[in-house]
DNA sequence: ATGGCATTATAACATATGATTGGTCCCGTG
DNA sequence: CACGGGACCAATCATATGTTATAATGCCAT
Protein backbone atom coordinates (compact mmCIF):
# COMPACT_ATOMS: atom_id res chain seq x y z
CA UNK A 1 0.00 0.00 0.00
CA UNK A 2 2.06 2.89 -1.23
CA UNK A 3 5.80 2.33 -1.36
CA UNK A 4 7.15 5.59 -0.26
CA UNK A 5 9.17 7.67 -2.62
CA UNK A 6 10.36 10.29 -0.20
CA UNK A 7 9.08 11.78 2.95
CA UNK A 8 7.33 15.04 2.31
CA UNK A 9 7.08 17.11 5.42
CA UNK A 10 7.61 20.50 3.81
CA UNK A 11 5.11 22.26 5.88
CA UNK A 12 4.04 19.75 8.46
CA UNK A 13 7.48 18.37 9.02
CA UNK A 14 7.31 18.59 12.78
CA UNK A 15 3.89 17.00 12.85
CA UNK A 16 5.03 14.22 10.54
CA UNK A 17 7.67 13.30 13.07
CA UNK A 18 5.22 13.69 15.92
CA UNK A 19 2.82 11.48 14.00
CA UNK A 20 5.34 8.69 13.64
CA UNK A 21 5.98 8.52 17.37
CA UNK A 22 2.23 8.79 17.94
CA UNK A 23 1.84 5.78 15.70
CA UNK A 24 4.18 3.78 17.85
CA UNK A 25 2.23 4.58 20.95
CA UNK A 26 -1.19 4.46 19.32
CA UNK A 27 -0.84 2.18 16.32
CA UNK A 28 -4.54 2.27 15.42
CA UNK A 29 -5.69 5.76 16.26
CA UNK A 30 -2.40 7.68 16.20
CA UNK A 31 -3.37 9.64 13.10
CA UNK A 32 -6.85 10.63 14.24
CA UNK A 33 -7.22 14.42 13.86
CA UNK A 34 -3.50 14.64 13.12
CA UNK A 35 -2.80 18.03 11.57
CA UNK A 36 -6.13 19.22 12.94
CA UNK A 37 -7.10 19.04 16.58
CA UNK A 38 -5.03 16.10 17.75
CA UNK A 39 -3.01 18.38 19.99
CA UNK A 40 -6.25 19.12 21.80
CA UNK A 41 -6.51 15.50 22.96
CA UNK A 42 -5.10 14.82 26.41
CA UNK A 43 -2.83 11.82 26.89
CA UNK A 44 -5.65 10.22 28.80
CA UNK A 45 -8.05 10.77 25.94
CA UNK A 46 -5.60 9.31 23.45
CA UNK A 47 -5.37 6.19 25.57
CA UNK A 48 -9.15 6.05 25.86
CA UNK A 49 -9.45 6.48 22.10
CA UNK A 50 -6.99 3.73 21.33
CA UNK A 51 -8.83 1.45 23.71
CA UNK A 52 -12.03 1.90 21.73
CA UNK A 53 -10.67 -0.23 18.89
CA UNK A 54 -11.89 -3.73 19.55
CA UNK A 55 -10.50 -5.40 16.44
CA UNK A 56 -8.19 -4.66 13.51
CA UNK A 57 -8.89 -6.01 10.04
CA UNK A 58 -7.34 -6.02 6.59
CA UNK A 59 -9.86 -5.45 3.83
CA UNK A 60 -9.28 -6.31 0.16
CA UNK A 61 -9.45 -3.90 -2.77
CA UNK A 62 -13.01 -2.99 -3.67
CA UNK A 63 -14.44 -4.29 -0.40
CA UNK A 64 -17.61 -2.58 0.66
CA UNK A 65 -17.40 -1.58 4.28
CA UNK A 66 -21.00 -0.43 4.37
CA UNK A 67 -23.79 -0.27 1.86
CA UNK A 68 -26.44 2.41 1.90
CA UNK A 69 -29.25 1.48 4.24
CA UNK A 70 -27.28 -0.99 6.34
CA UNK A 71 -27.79 -0.79 10.06
CA UNK A 72 -24.46 -0.85 11.81
CA UNK A 73 -23.36 -1.37 15.39
CA UNK A 74 -19.77 -0.24 15.06
CA UNK A 75 -17.72 2.48 13.41
CA UNK A 76 -14.42 2.23 11.58
CA UNK A 77 -11.09 4.00 11.87
CA UNK A 78 -9.06 3.94 8.66
CA UNK A 79 -5.54 2.99 9.70
CA UNK A 80 -3.94 2.45 6.33
CA UNK A 81 -5.16 2.71 2.74
CA UNK A 82 -7.80 4.68 0.88
CA UNK A 83 -11.57 4.65 0.88
CA UNK A 84 -14.32 6.23 -1.13
CA UNK A 85 -17.84 7.24 -0.17
CA UNK A 86 -20.11 6.53 -3.08
CA UNK A 87 -23.73 6.78 -4.13
CA UNK A 88 -25.34 4.76 -6.88
CA UNK A 89 -27.89 6.21 -9.24
CA UNK A 90 -29.11 4.84 -12.51
CA UNK A 91 -26.48 2.30 -13.36
CA UNK A 92 -23.62 4.50 -12.39
CA UNK A 93 -21.52 5.07 -9.29
CA UNK A 94 -20.76 8.58 -8.02
CA UNK A 95 -18.01 9.44 -5.60
CA UNK A 96 -18.91 12.01 -2.98
CA UNK A 97 -15.72 11.99 -0.91
CA UNK A 98 -12.63 9.98 -0.15
CA UNK A 99 -10.65 9.03 2.92
CA UNK A 100 -7.05 8.81 3.97
CA UNK A 101 -5.48 7.18 7.04
CA UNK A 102 -6.53 8.77 10.32
CA UNK A 103 -10.10 9.33 9.15
CA UNK A 104 -12.85 7.91 11.33
CA UNK A 105 -14.64 7.01 8.12
CA UNK A 106 -18.06 6.09 9.36
CA UNK A 107 -18.25 7.63 12.76
CA UNK A 108 -21.43 9.35 11.62
CA UNK A 109 -23.25 6.05 11.38
CA UNK A 110 -23.31 6.10 15.17
CA UNK A 111 -25.86 8.92 15.14
CA UNK A 112 -27.34 8.18 11.73
CA UNK A 113 -27.76 4.47 12.33
CA UNK A 114 -28.39 3.79 8.65
CA UNK A 115 -26.00 5.44 6.27
CA UNK A 116 -27.26 7.17 3.15
CA UNK A 117 -24.21 6.09 1.14
CA UNK A 118 -21.69 3.31 0.59
CA UNK A 119 -18.13 3.20 1.80
CA UNK A 120 -15.67 1.11 -0.16
CA UNK A 121 -11.97 0.37 -0.24
CA UNK A 122 -9.81 1.56 -3.08
CA UNK A 123 -6.87 -0.76 -2.82
CA UNK A 124 -6.23 -2.82 0.30
CA UNK A 125 -7.03 -1.17 3.60
CA UNK A 126 -6.33 -1.72 7.28
CA UNK A 127 -9.08 -0.66 9.65
CA UNK A 128 -9.89 -0.59 13.35
CA UNK A 129 -13.40 -1.41 14.53
CA UNK A 130 -15.09 0.56 17.31
CA UNK A 131 -18.30 -0.80 18.84
CA UNK A 132 -21.09 1.75 19.16
CA UNK A 133 -21.61 0.95 22.84
CA UNK A 134 -18.16 2.33 23.44
CA UNK A 135 -19.01 5.53 21.58
CA UNK A 136 -22.19 5.85 23.60
CA UNK A 137 -20.04 5.61 26.73
CA UNK A 138 -17.88 8.41 25.44
CA UNK A 139 -20.98 10.51 24.82
CA UNK A 140 -22.07 9.98 28.41
CA UNK A 141 -18.78 10.31 30.19
CA UNK A 142 -16.28 12.26 28.10
CA UNK A 143 -17.95 15.40 26.78
CA UNK A 144 -14.70 16.84 25.45
CA UNK A 145 -13.84 13.74 23.46
CA UNK A 146 -17.47 13.59 22.33
CA UNK A 147 -17.16 17.12 21.07
CA UNK A 148 -14.04 16.19 19.11
CA UNK A 149 -15.89 13.25 17.60
CA UNK A 150 -18.61 15.64 16.59
CA UNK A 151 -16.00 17.98 15.17
CA UNK A 152 -14.52 15.22 13.07
CA UNK A 153 -17.85 14.46 11.42
CA UNK A 154 -18.38 18.16 10.79
CA UNK A 155 -15.07 18.20 8.97
CA UNK A 156 -16.64 15.87 6.43
CA UNK A 157 -19.50 18.29 5.96
CA UNK A 158 -17.08 21.17 5.43
CA UNK A 159 -15.25 19.17 2.79
CA UNK A 160 -18.56 18.31 1.17
CA UNK A 161 -19.42 21.99 0.99
CA UNK A 162 -16.14 22.89 -0.61
CA UNK A 163 -16.61 20.17 -3.18
CA UNK A 164 -20.14 21.35 -3.93
CA UNK A 165 -18.76 24.80 -4.58
CA UNK A 166 -16.00 23.42 -6.74
CA UNK A 167 -18.41 21.31 -8.76
CA UNK A 168 -20.47 24.41 -9.36
CA UNK A 169 -17.46 26.51 -10.19
CA UNK A 170 -14.93 24.34 -11.99
CA UNK A 171 -14.68 22.55 -15.30
CA UNK A 172 -13.38 18.99 -15.33
CA UNK A 173 -9.65 19.67 -15.74
CA UNK A 174 -9.70 21.95 -12.74
CA UNK A 175 -11.77 19.49 -10.74
CA UNK A 176 -9.13 16.85 -11.31
CA UNK A 177 -6.47 19.31 -10.25
CA UNK A 178 -8.46 20.10 -7.13
CA UNK A 179 -8.72 16.44 -6.22
CA UNK A 180 -4.97 16.07 -6.66
CA UNK A 181 -4.33 19.10 -4.50
CA UNK A 182 -6.68 17.97 -1.74
CA UNK A 183 -5.47 14.38 -1.59
CA UNK A 184 -1.90 15.57 -1.54
CA UNK A 185 -2.61 18.02 1.24
CA UNK A 186 -4.55 15.56 3.35
CA UNK A 187 -1.88 12.89 2.98
CA UNK A 188 0.65 15.49 3.95
CA UNK A 189 -1.28 16.35 7.08
CA UNK A 190 -0.79 12.78 8.31
CA UNK A 191 2.77 12.53 7.08
CA UNK A 192 2.09 10.28 4.08
CA UNK A 193 2.78 12.58 1.13
CA UNK A 194 5.90 12.66 -1.00
CA UNK A 195 7.65 15.84 -1.79
CA UNK A 196 6.65 15.65 -5.42
CA UNK A 197 3.23 14.03 -5.23
CA UNK A 198 1.63 10.88 -3.92
CA UNK A 199 0.67 7.33 -4.84
CA UNK A 200 -2.91 6.19 -4.91
CA UNK A 201 -4.83 3.14 -6.08
CA UNK A 202 -7.32 5.43 -7.82
CA UNK A 203 -7.76 4.90 -11.55
CA UNK A 204 -8.89 7.40 -14.14
CA UNK A 205 -12.29 5.72 -14.04
CA UNK A 206 -12.46 6.36 -10.29
CA UNK A 207 -11.54 9.97 -10.85
CA UNK A 208 -14.34 10.15 -13.39
CA UNK A 209 -16.81 8.84 -10.80
CA UNK A 210 -15.50 11.38 -8.33
CA UNK A 211 -16.01 14.40 -10.51
CA UNK A 212 -19.06 13.40 -12.49
CA UNK A 213 -17.36 13.08 -15.84
CA UNK A 214 -16.69 10.35 -18.34
CA UNK A 215 -13.40 8.46 -18.16
CA UNK A 216 -12.69 9.72 -21.68
CA UNK A 217 -12.98 13.29 -20.62
CA UNK A 218 -10.93 12.72 -17.50
CA UNK A 219 -8.26 11.37 -19.74
CA UNK A 220 -8.40 14.51 -21.87
CA UNK A 221 -8.20 16.60 -18.71
CA UNK A 222 -5.17 14.74 -17.40
CA UNK A 223 -3.51 15.18 -20.77
CA UNK A 224 -4.13 18.88 -20.41
CA UNK A 225 -2.58 18.98 -16.93
CA UNK A 226 0.39 17.08 -18.26
CA UNK A 227 0.87 19.34 -21.27
CA UNK A 228 0.69 22.50 -19.22
CA UNK A 229 3.26 21.21 -16.76
CA UNK A 230 0.96 21.10 -13.77
CA UNK A 231 0.78 17.45 -12.84
CA UNK A 232 1.19 13.97 -14.21
CA UNK A 233 -0.80 10.84 -13.54
CA UNK A 234 0.21 7.34 -14.43
CA UNK A 235 -1.27 4.22 -12.92
CA UNK A 236 -1.78 5.80 -9.57
CA UNK A 237 1.47 7.71 -9.44
CA UNK A 238 0.52 11.33 -9.12
CA UNK A 239 3.44 13.65 -9.63
CA UNK A 240 2.94 17.34 -9.01
CA UNK A 241 5.27 19.38 -11.18
CA UNK A 242 4.51 22.74 -9.69
CA UNK A 243 2.58 23.23 -6.51
CA UNK A 244 1.68 26.88 -7.02
CA UNK A 245 0.56 26.23 -10.55
CA UNK A 246 -1.59 23.31 -9.45
CA UNK A 247 -3.22 25.17 -6.60
CA UNK A 248 -3.91 28.31 -8.55
CA UNK A 249 -5.21 26.36 -11.53
CA UNK A 250 -7.59 24.44 -9.27
CA UNK A 251 -8.31 27.46 -7.13
CA UNK A 252 -7.40 25.33 -4.14
CA UNK A 253 -7.54 27.05 -0.76
CA UNK A 254 -6.87 24.61 2.01
CA UNK A 255 -8.62 26.56 4.78
CA UNK A 256 -11.69 24.34 4.63
CA UNK A 257 -9.61 21.39 5.82
CA UNK A 258 -9.26 23.10 9.21
CA UNK A 259 -5.54 22.41 9.25
CA UNK A 260 -3.28 25.38 9.65
CA UNK A 261 -5.28 27.85 7.55
CA UNK A 262 -7.50 30.77 8.43
CA UNK A 263 -10.15 28.57 10.04
CA UNK A 264 -7.72 26.58 12.15
CA UNK A 265 -8.53 25.97 15.79
CA UNK A 266 -4.95 25.18 16.72
CA UNK A 267 -4.55 28.10 19.06
CA UNK A 268 -7.94 27.87 20.68
CA UNK A 269 -8.69 24.21 20.91
CA UNK A 270 -12.23 23.08 21.53
CA UNK B 1 -43.14 35.80 4.69
CA UNK B 2 -45.18 33.48 2.57
CA UNK B 3 -48.92 34.03 2.40
CA UNK B 4 -50.31 30.58 2.41
CA UNK B 5 -52.24 29.29 -0.53
CA UNK B 6 -53.50 26.07 0.86
CA UNK B 7 -52.42 23.64 3.48
CA UNK B 8 -50.60 20.74 1.92
CA UNK B 9 -50.39 17.77 4.23
CA UNK B 10 -50.78 15.07 1.63
CA UNK B 11 -48.38 12.72 3.21
CA UNK B 12 -47.46 14.33 6.46
CA UNK B 13 -50.97 15.49 7.24
CA UNK B 14 -50.99 14.15 10.75
CA UNK B 15 -47.58 15.59 11.50
CA UNK B 16 -48.61 18.94 10.08
CA UNK B 17 -51.42 19.09 12.60
CA UNK B 18 -49.16 17.82 15.32
CA UNK B 19 -46.67 20.50 14.33
CA UNK B 20 -49.16 23.28 14.70
CA UNK B 21 -49.97 22.30 18.27
CA UNK B 22 -46.27 21.82 18.91
CA UNK B 23 -45.78 25.37 17.71
CA UNK B 24 -48.26 26.63 20.27
CA UNK B 25 -46.42 24.89 23.04
CA UNK B 26 -42.91 25.49 21.69
CA UNK B 27 -43.14 28.58 19.53
CA UNK B 28 -39.41 28.75 18.82
CA UNK B 29 -38.28 25.15 18.58
CA UNK B 30 -41.54 23.39 17.78
CA UNK B 31 -40.44 22.46 14.29
CA UNK B 32 -37.01 21.12 15.22
CA UNK B 33 -36.61 17.63 13.70
CA UNK B 34 -40.29 17.68 12.78
CA UNK B 35 -40.90 14.94 10.25
CA UNK B 36 -37.64 13.35 11.31
CA UNK B 37 -36.83 12.40 14.87
CA UNK B 38 -38.95 14.86 16.80
CA UNK B 39 -41.06 12.02 18.15
CA UNK B 40 -37.90 10.73 19.78
CA UNK B 41 -37.72 13.82 22.00
CA UNK B 42 -39.28 13.41 25.43
CA UNK B 43 -41.57 16.13 26.71
CA UNK B 44 -38.84 17.06 29.13
CA UNK B 45 -36.32 17.39 26.34
CA UNK B 46 -38.67 19.56 24.34
CA UNK B 47 -39.02 21.88 27.28
CA UNK B 48 -35.25 21.90 27.77
CA UNK B 49 -34.77 22.65 24.09
CA UNK B 50 -37.23 25.52 24.08
CA UNK B 51 -35.50 26.94 27.12
CA UNK B 52 -32.20 27.10 25.25
CA UNK B 53 -33.45 30.02 23.14
CA UNK B 54 -32.27 33.12 24.88
CA UNK B 55 -33.54 35.68 22.39
CA UNK B 56 -35.72 35.91 19.29
CA UNK B 57 -34.87 38.24 16.42
CA UNK B 58 -36.28 39.32 13.09
CA UNK B 59 -33.62 39.62 10.39
CA UNK B 60 -34.04 41.57 7.14
CA UNK B 61 -33.74 40.17 3.62
CA UNK B 62 -30.13 39.56 2.65
CA UNK B 63 -28.85 39.78 6.22
CA UNK B 64 -25.73 37.79 6.85
CA UNK B 65 -26.11 35.73 9.97
CA UNK B 66 -22.50 34.57 9.85
CA UNK B 67 -19.61 35.18 7.54
CA UNK B 68 -16.94 32.59 6.86
CA UNK B 69 -14.24 32.75 9.49
CA UNK B 70 -16.32 34.43 12.16
CA UNK B 71 -15.97 33.11 15.66
CA UNK B 72 -19.37 32.67 17.20
CA UNK B 73 -20.63 32.07 20.70
CA UNK B 74 -24.20 31.12 19.91
CA UNK B 75 -26.16 29.06 17.41
CA UNK B 76 -29.38 29.88 15.61
CA UNK B 77 -32.70 28.13 15.20
CA UNK B 78 -34.59 29.19 12.08
CA UNK B 79 -38.16 29.82 13.20
CA UNK B 80 -39.63 31.37 10.10
CA UNK B 81 -38.23 32.21 6.66
CA UNK B 82 -35.51 30.90 4.40
CA UNK B 83 -31.74 30.89 4.58
CA UNK B 84 -28.89 29.99 2.29
CA UNK B 85 -25.42 28.68 3.03
CA UNK B 86 -23.02 30.24 0.59
CA UNK B 87 -19.37 30.31 -0.32
CA UNK B 88 -17.64 33.04 -2.26
CA UNK B 89 -14.99 32.37 -4.84
CA UNK B 90 -13.64 34.66 -7.48
CA UNK B 91 -16.25 37.36 -7.65
CA UNK B 92 -19.13 35.00 -7.50
CA UNK B 93 -21.36 33.54 -4.83
CA UNK B 94 -22.14 29.82 -4.72
CA UNK B 95 -24.99 28.27 -2.79
CA UNK B 96 -24.21 25.02 -1.04
CA UNK B 97 -27.47 24.42 0.78
CA UNK B 98 -30.61 26.14 2.00
CA UNK B 99 -32.73 26.09 5.11
CA UNK B 100 -36.36 26.02 6.04
CA UNK B 101 -38.07 26.63 9.38
CA UNK B 102 -37.17 24.11 12.06
CA UNK B 103 -33.55 23.91 10.93
CA UNK B 104 -30.90 24.55 13.55
CA UNK B 105 -28.98 26.39 10.84
CA UNK B 106 -25.61 26.85 12.46
CA UNK B 107 -25.58 24.34 15.24
CA UNK B 108 -22.35 23.04 13.75
CA UNK B 109 -20.52 26.24 14.61
CA UNK B 110 -20.63 25.03 18.21
CA UNK B 111 -18.07 22.33 17.42
CA UNK B 112 -16.45 24.08 14.48
CA UNK B 113 -16.06 27.42 16.21
CA UNK B 114 -15.27 29.19 12.94
CA UNK B 115 -17.55 28.37 10.07
CA UNK B 116 -16.16 27.68 6.63
CA UNK B 117 -19.12 29.33 4.92
CA UNK B 118 -21.61 32.19 5.14
CA UNK B 119 -25.22 31.94 6.18
CA UNK B 120 -27.62 34.54 4.86
CA UNK B 121 -31.30 35.30 4.85
CA UNK B 122 -33.34 35.05 1.69
CA UNK B 123 -36.29 37.22 2.53
CA UNK B 124 -37.08 38.23 6.08
CA UNK B 125 -36.42 35.64 8.74
CA UNK B 126 -37.29 35.01 12.37
CA UNK B 127 -34.64 33.27 14.42
CA UNK B 128 -33.99 32.05 17.94
CA UNK B 129 -30.53 32.45 19.47
CA UNK B 130 -28.97 29.70 21.59
CA UNK B 131 -25.82 30.49 23.60
CA UNK B 132 -23.04 27.96 23.24
CA UNK B 133 -22.69 27.59 27.01
CA UNK B 134 -26.17 26.11 27.00
CA UNK B 135 -25.22 23.64 24.29
CA UNK B 136 -22.12 22.68 26.25
CA UNK B 137 -24.41 21.98 29.20
CA UNK B 138 -26.51 19.72 27.02
CA UNK B 139 -23.35 17.91 25.93
CA UNK B 140 -22.45 17.29 29.55
CA UNK B 141 -25.79 16.46 31.00
CA UNK B 142 -28.18 15.25 28.32
CA UNK B 143 -26.45 12.64 26.18
CA UNK B 144 -29.62 11.72 24.32
CA UNK B 145 -30.42 15.29 23.33
CA UNK B 146 -26.74 15.74 22.47
CA UNK B 147 -26.98 12.79 20.16
CA UNK B 148 -30.00 14.29 18.45
CA UNK B 149 -28.10 17.54 18.00
CA UNK B 150 -25.32 15.57 16.42
CA UNK B 151 -27.86 13.78 14.25
CA UNK B 152 -29.28 17.05 13.03
CA UNK B 153 -25.87 18.26 11.84
CA UNK B 154 -25.30 14.92 10.12
CA UNK B 155 -28.52 15.47 8.25
CA UNK B 156 -26.85 18.47 6.63
CA UNK B 157 -23.95 16.29 5.56
CA UNK B 158 -26.32 13.73 4.06
CA UNK B 159 -28.06 16.46 2.09
CA UNK B 160 -24.67 17.75 0.95
CA UNK B 161 -23.78 14.30 -0.32
CA UNK B 162 -26.99 13.94 -2.25
CA UNK B 163 -26.43 17.32 -3.84
CA UNK B 164 -22.87 16.41 -4.78
CA UNK B 165 -24.18 13.33 -6.49
CA UNK B 166 -26.87 15.32 -8.26
CA UNK B 167 -24.38 17.94 -9.42
CA UNK B 168 -22.28 15.15 -10.86
CA UNK B 169 -25.24 13.43 -12.42
CA UNK B 170 -27.72 16.06 -13.56
CA UNK B 171 -27.85 18.79 -16.15
CA UNK B 172 -29.15 22.18 -15.16
CA UNK B 173 -32.86 21.70 -15.92
CA UNK B 174 -32.92 18.61 -13.75
CA UNK B 175 -30.95 20.32 -11.02
CA UNK B 176 -33.58 23.03 -10.86
CA UNK B 177 -36.28 20.38 -10.72
CA UNK B 178 -34.41 18.66 -7.91
CA UNK B 179 -34.20 21.86 -5.90
CA UNK B 180 -37.93 22.39 -6.36
CA UNK B 181 -38.65 18.83 -5.27
CA UNK B 182 -36.44 19.05 -2.21
CA UNK B 183 -37.67 22.42 -1.01
CA UNK B 184 -41.23 21.32 -1.49
CA UNK B 185 -40.64 18.11 0.42
CA UNK B 186 -38.81 19.78 3.28
CA UNK B 187 -41.46 22.46 3.63
CA UNK B 188 -44.02 19.72 3.63
CA UNK B 189 -42.24 17.92 6.45
CA UNK B 190 -42.78 20.94 8.68
CA UNK B 191 -46.29 21.62 7.43
CA UNK B 192 -45.47 24.66 5.32
CA UNK B 193 -46.02 23.39 1.78
CA UNK B 194 -49.06 24.00 -0.40
CA UNK B 195 -50.76 21.23 -2.21
CA UNK B 196 -49.60 22.52 -5.56
CA UNK B 197 -46.19 23.94 -4.73
CA UNK B 198 -44.65 26.55 -2.46
CA UNK B 199 -43.69 30.20 -2.20
CA UNK B 200 -40.12 31.29 -1.76
CA UNK B 201 -38.15 34.53 -1.87
CA UNK B 202 -35.58 32.85 -4.12
CA UNK B 203 -34.97 34.49 -7.50
CA UNK B 204 -33.72 32.89 -10.68
CA UNK B 205 -30.34 34.43 -9.93
CA UNK B 206 -30.34 32.67 -6.53
CA UNK B 207 -31.21 29.41 -8.22
CA UNK B 208 -28.29 30.00 -10.58
CA UNK B 209 -25.96 30.43 -7.61
CA UNK B 210 -27.37 27.28 -6.10
CA UNK B 211 -26.73 25.07 -9.07
CA UNK B 212 -23.63 26.60 -10.51
CA UNK B 213 -25.16 27.94 -13.68
CA UNK B 214 -25.75 31.32 -15.26
CA UNK B 215 -29.06 33.08 -14.67
CA UNK B 216 -29.62 32.95 -18.41
CA UNK B 217 -29.35 29.23 -18.48
CA UNK B 218 -31.53 28.86 -15.41
CA UNK B 219 -34.12 30.86 -17.24
CA UNK B 220 -33.87 28.51 -20.22
CA UNK B 221 -34.19 25.55 -17.87
CA UNK B 222 -37.27 26.95 -16.17
CA UNK B 223 -38.78 27.58 -19.58
CA UNK B 224 -38.19 23.94 -20.35
CA UNK B 225 -39.88 22.79 -17.13
CA UNK B 226 -42.79 25.05 -17.94
CA UNK B 227 -43.13 23.83 -21.50
CA UNK B 228 -43.03 20.19 -20.52
CA UNK B 229 -45.71 20.67 -17.89
CA UNK B 230 -43.52 19.83 -14.92
CA UNK B 231 -43.42 23.03 -12.91
CA UNK B 232 -43.79 26.76 -13.15
CA UNK B 233 -41.82 29.51 -11.46
CA UNK B 234 -42.78 33.14 -11.26
CA UNK B 235 -41.38 35.62 -8.82
CA UNK B 236 -41.02 33.08 -6.09
CA UNK B 237 -44.27 31.25 -6.70
CA UNK B 238 -43.34 27.71 -7.49
CA UNK B 239 -46.21 25.66 -8.81
CA UNK B 240 -45.73 21.97 -9.33
CA UNK B 241 -47.95 20.71 -12.12
CA UNK B 242 -47.22 17.05 -11.70
CA UNK B 243 -45.44 15.59 -8.75
CA UNK B 244 -44.52 12.26 -10.32
CA UNK B 245 -43.23 13.96 -13.43
CA UNK B 246 -41.15 16.37 -11.38
CA UNK B 247 -39.63 13.72 -9.18
CA UNK B 248 -38.86 11.32 -11.98
CA UNK B 249 -37.43 14.09 -14.15
CA UNK B 250 -35.15 15.19 -11.31
CA UNK B 251 -34.52 11.65 -10.18
CA UNK B 252 -35.56 12.77 -6.71
CA UNK B 253 -35.56 10.09 -4.03
CA UNK B 254 -36.36 11.57 -0.68
CA UNK B 255 -34.73 8.85 1.42
CA UNK B 256 -31.67 10.99 2.10
CA UNK B 257 -33.82 13.45 4.04
CA UNK B 258 -34.29 10.79 6.70
CA UNK B 259 -38.02 11.46 6.80
CA UNK B 260 -40.28 8.51 6.18
CA UNK B 261 -38.17 6.79 3.53
CA UNK B 262 -35.97 3.73 3.55
CA UNK B 263 -33.42 5.31 5.87
CA UNK B 264 -35.94 6.58 8.38
CA UNK B 265 -35.31 6.03 12.07
CA UNK B 266 -38.91 6.54 13.05
CA UNK B 267 -39.40 3.05 14.34
CA UNK B 268 -36.08 2.75 16.11
CA UNK B 269 -35.35 6.17 17.50
CA UNK B 270 -31.87 7.00 18.60
C1' DA C 1 -48.02 58.76 -13.11
C1' DT C 2 -43.51 58.26 -13.86
C1' DG C 3 -38.85 56.91 -13.95
C1' DG C 4 -35.70 53.61 -12.29
C1' DC C 5 -34.45 49.08 -10.97
C1' DA C 6 -34.67 44.21 -10.21
C1' DT C 7 -36.46 40.26 -12.39
C1' DT C 8 -37.57 37.59 -16.14
C1' DA C 9 -37.26 36.55 -21.11
C1' DT C 10 -35.04 35.57 -25.95
C1' DA C 11 -31.48 35.05 -29.66
C1' DA C 12 -26.78 34.14 -31.88
C1' DC C 13 -22.46 32.38 -31.45
C1' DA C 14 -18.34 29.99 -28.82
C1' DT C 15 -16.77 26.31 -25.86
C1' DA C 16 -16.82 22.23 -22.70
C1' DT C 17 -18.34 17.85 -22.40
C1' DG C 18 -20.68 13.47 -23.76
C1' DA C 19 -21.11 9.47 -26.92
C1' DT C 20 -19.06 6.43 -29.89
C1' DT C 21 -15.34 4.01 -31.62
C1' DG C 22 -11.04 2.14 -31.87
C1' DG C 23 -6.19 1.69 -30.63
C1' DT C 24 -1.99 0.87 -27.46
C1' DC C 25 0.40 -0.54 -23.51
C1' DC C 26 1.19 -3.31 -19.51
C1' DC C 27 0.72 -7.14 -16.41
C1' DG C 28 -0.76 -11.52 -14.68
C1' DT C 29 -2.17 -16.25 -16.00
C1' DG C 30 -2.21 -20.53 -18.47
C1' DC D 1 5.55 -17.62 -24.73
C1' DA D 2 0.66 -16.43 -26.12
C1' DC D 3 -3.23 -14.55 -24.57
C1' DG D 4 -6.78 -11.66 -22.31
C1' DG D 5 -8.19 -7.96 -19.63
C1' DG D 6 -7.66 -3.68 -17.45
C1' DA D 7 -5.88 0.75 -17.84
C1' DC D 8 -4.81 4.45 -20.72
C1' DC D 9 -4.92 7.30 -25.05
C1' DA D 10 -7.00 9.59 -29.26
C1' DA D 11 -10.29 11.39 -33.05
C1' DT D 12 -14.93 12.53 -34.52
C1' DC D 13 -19.42 14.39 -34.10
C1' DA D 14 -23.64 15.91 -31.17
C1' DT D 15 -25.36 18.52 -27.26
C1' DA D 16 -25.39 21.41 -22.97
C1' DT D 17 -23.93 25.47 -21.30
C1' DG D 18 -21.54 30.01 -21.21
C1' DT D 19 -21.19 34.63 -23.23
C1' DT D 20 -22.86 38.69 -24.97
C1' DA D 21 -26.45 41.50 -26.25
C1' DT D 22 -31.09 43.19 -26.05
C1' DA D 23 -35.64 43.76 -24.41
C1' DA D 24 -40.11 43.05 -21.89
C1' DT D 25 -42.25 43.04 -17.42
C1' DG D 26 -43.61 44.18 -12.78
C1' DC D 27 -42.52 46.66 -8.45
C1' DC D 28 -41.49 50.67 -5.82
C1' DA D 29 -40.22 55.36 -4.44
C1' DT D 30 -40.53 60.03 -5.63
Amino acid sequence: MGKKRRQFGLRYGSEAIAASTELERFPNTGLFLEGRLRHDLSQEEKVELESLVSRVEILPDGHRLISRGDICDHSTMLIDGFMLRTLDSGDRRYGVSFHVPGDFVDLHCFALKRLDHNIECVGQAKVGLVPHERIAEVMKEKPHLARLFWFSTLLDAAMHREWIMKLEQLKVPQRIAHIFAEVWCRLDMVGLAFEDGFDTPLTQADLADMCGATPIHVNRAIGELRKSGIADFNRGEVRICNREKLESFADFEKDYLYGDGALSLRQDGL
Side-chain angles (χ1 to χ4, degrees), chain A residues 29 32 38 41 45-53 149:
Chain A
T29 61
F32 180 62
R38 187 164 183 84
L41 285 168
E45 285 170 328
K46 288 177 185 173
V47 171
E48 168 82 7
L49 181 62
E50 183 78 12
S51 84
L52 295 182
V53 175
F149 278 0

Side-chain angles (χ1 to χ4, degrees), chain A residues 28-47:
Chain A
N28 301 326
T29 61
L31 295 182
F32 180 62
L33 289 180
E34 180 61 37
R36 252 82 79 125
L37 277 177
R38 187 164 183 84
H39 67 286
D40 204 41
L41 285 168
S42 69
Q43 201 63 14
E44 202 188 339
E45 285 170 328
K46 288 177 185 173
V47 171

Side-chain angles (χ1 to χ4, degrees), chain A residues 31-99:
Chain A
L31 295 182
F32 180 62
L33 289 180
E34 180 61 37
R36 252 82 79 125
L37 277 177
R38 187 164 183 84
H39 67 286
D40 204 41
L41 285 168
S42 69
Q43 201 63 14
E44 202 188 339
E45 285 170 328
K46 288 177 185 173
V47 171
E48 168 82 7
L49 181 62
E50 183 78 12
S51 84
L52 295 182
V53 175
S54 69
R55 201 166 78 244
V56 172
E57 284 186 7
I58 305 284
L59 307 175
D61 178 34
H63 177 83
R64 235 185 210 193
L65 191 64
I66 306 184
S67 290
R68 170 190 168 90
D70 287 354
I71 291 207
C72 34
D73 59 356
H74 64 271
S75 285
T76 312
M77 173 76 63
L78 181 52
I79 299 172
D80 197 9
F82 291 82
M83 291 194 172
L84 229 44
R85 297 195 186 173
T86 67
L87 279 167
D88 295 314
S89 186
D91 52 359
R92 188 165 170 194
R93 179 183 78 148
Y94 297 90
V96 298
S97 69
F98 65 90
H99 289 284

